Amino acid sequence: QARLMQSGGGSAQAGGSLKLSCSVSGYIAPSVCLAWYRQAPGKEREGVAYFDADSSTIYSEAVRGRFTISFDAAAAVVHLQMNDLKPEDTAVYYCAAARYIRCTLLHADRRAEVSIAAWGQGTQVSVSS
C-alpha cells in the first residue's frame, strides 16, 4: 500500500515562490497518476496538477503557467514548484496517488477520485498580498 509524506510549503508574499515535495513509499501500481490537490477555507477541494505514468502533465487553469509538477523516479518524490504565487493560492495542499487511472480522467471527473489510493498529510501554503 502506498504511503505519501509531504514536506515544504509555508508562507510567501505575492509574486514569490514555494516548493512542495511528496515522498512516495510502498507499492505503486504501474499505471498511477500522481497529483496535487488543494483546499482553501470554505471551498471545495480542487486538483491543481497531475503527473501521469507516461510523464505527461495536466494543470488546472488557475495555476497553469505558474506551477510545475515533476516526479523524481529515482528518489520516488513528486514535487510541486509554485512560482508567481497569488493570495488566492492560499490553501492546504495534498499530494495524492491514484491507481489504474489516467490523469486525464482524474482531472475531468471528480467521481474518479474514488481511485485515489493514498493521500499526503496536507501542508499549509499561505500567500500574503
Side-chain angles (χ1 to χ4, degrees), residues 43-86:
K43 294 188 176 181
E44 285 192 346
R45 184 180 62 215
E46 62 171 340
V48 297
Y50 305 78
F51 189 95
D52 217 332
D54 64 358
S55 299
S56 60
T57 57
I58 301 172
Y59 298 94
S60 69
E61 279 195 38
V63 308
R64 191 176 300 126
R66 301 187 297 119
F67 289 13
T68 302
I69 187 171
S70 60
F71 180 56
D72 181 343
V77 178
V78 58
H79 301 285
L80 184 68
Q81 178 66 45
M82 304 181 290
N83 298 330
D84 190 20
L85 284 162
K86 302 177 180 182

Side-chain angles (χ1 to χ4, degrees), residues 5-62:
M5 181 63 67
Q6 296 178 220
S7 60
S11 300
Q13 290 191 325
S17 298
L18 288 172
K19 186 174 184 177
L20 302 178
S21 298
C22 177
S23 178
V24 183
S25 61
Y27 176 72
I28 295 292
S31 54
V32 63
C33 173
L34 298 171
W36 287 96
Y37 285 77
R38 69 185 182 187
Q39 187 165 22
K43 294 188 176 181
E44 285 192 346
R45 184 180 62 215
E46 62 171 340
V48 297
Y50 305 78
F51 189 95
D52 217 332
D54 64 358
S55 299
S56 60
T57 57
I58 301 172
Y59 298 94
S60 69
E61 279 195 38

Side-chain angles (χ1 to χ4, degrees), residues 4-8 36 92-95 119-125:
L4 307 179
M5 181 63 67
Q6 296 178 220
S7 60
W36 287 96
V92 177
Y93 284 71
Y94 299 88
C95 59
W119 291 92
Q121 77 274 25
T123 301
Q124 177 69 46
V125 169

